[in-house]
Amino acid sequence: MTQEKTIFQKIIDDEIPSTKICDNENFAAFLDAFPTSPGHTLVVTKEPYKDLLETPDEISGKLLTFVKKLSIKIKEATGADGIKLIMNNGAAAGQEVFHIHCHIIPRFKGDKWPAKYEYKEGEASEIANKIIAEFEN
């Protein structure tokens, strides 16, 4: 029996459009479709592990390294004052997509939390391009 692809697998496979930031053999990163701030990015594993608790140690260690490197670049690209990382593991913790993922959320002095952010026309692409440029340096 074939398991249905998660929304993140569909994004990785370009079946669902997204604003991609970067990827490598293990991970993909793209702007969140429902951001809380400009530059809010999701990092997902290419393999659909359910959550951190089911992810092999080798991959979870690499995930943290990847998230750290990308967080630095997102902070630089957006001019954020800080970075909030969120990873929900299990429905009781608020996980809605059962494919391990980490939210990298730029935070700014004086911003409100929780928040909802809507990109202006072309802004998501502009921010993504800034992050991509930082990440490539």
Side-chain angles (χ1 to χ4, degrees):
M1 182 174 176
T2 305
Q3 188 168 345
E4 187 175 329
K5 286 183 176 183
T6 68
I7 189 169
F8 296 149
Q9 287 172 289
K10 291 176 182 178
I11 290 170
I12 292 165
D13 293 341
D14 292 321
E15 295 171 18
I16 295 176
S18 69
T19 306
K20 291 192 177 173
I21 303 296
C22 56
D23 67 6
N24 65 25
E25 66 184 50
N26 296 308
F27 311 109
F30 45 88
L31 293 183
D32 193 304
F34 305 100
T36 58
S37 68
H40 179 167
T41 300
L42 293 177
V43 176
V44 303
T45 57
K46 294 269 182 97
E47 289 293 318
Y49 305 109
K50 180 179 142 191
D51 58 25
L52 181 65
L53 308 177
E54 292 189 2
T55 303
D57 290 346
E58 178 185 342
I59 298 297
S60 61
K62 288 178 181 180
L63 175 62
L64 185 57
T65 299
F66 186 81
V67 166
K68 177 184 175 184
K69 180 179 177 183
L70 186 55
S71 294
I72 292 167
K73 301 305 183 178
I74 290 171
K75 186 174 186 282
E76 292 169 1
T78 61
D81 298 303
I83 294 289
K84 183 181 202 80
L85 300 178
I86 298 176
M87 182 184 289
N88 301 319
N89 293 280
Q95 186 177 8
E96 295 177 1
V97 178
F98 294 93
H99 181 146
I100 185 172
H101 59 286
C102 182
H103 295 258
I104 302 174
I105 304 170
R107 298 296 306 270
F108 303 87
K109 289 180 185 165
D111 67 3
K112 305 284 189 226
W113 187 264
K116 183 178 179 182
Y117 186 80
E118 291 187 33
Y119 288 109
K120 296 175 188 88
E121 182 71 33
E123 184 183 17
S125 294
E126 182 181 319
I127 288 174
N129 289 335
K130 285 181 183 178
I131 297 168
I132 291 165
E134 286 290 336
F135 196 72
E136 291 174 349
N137 287 334

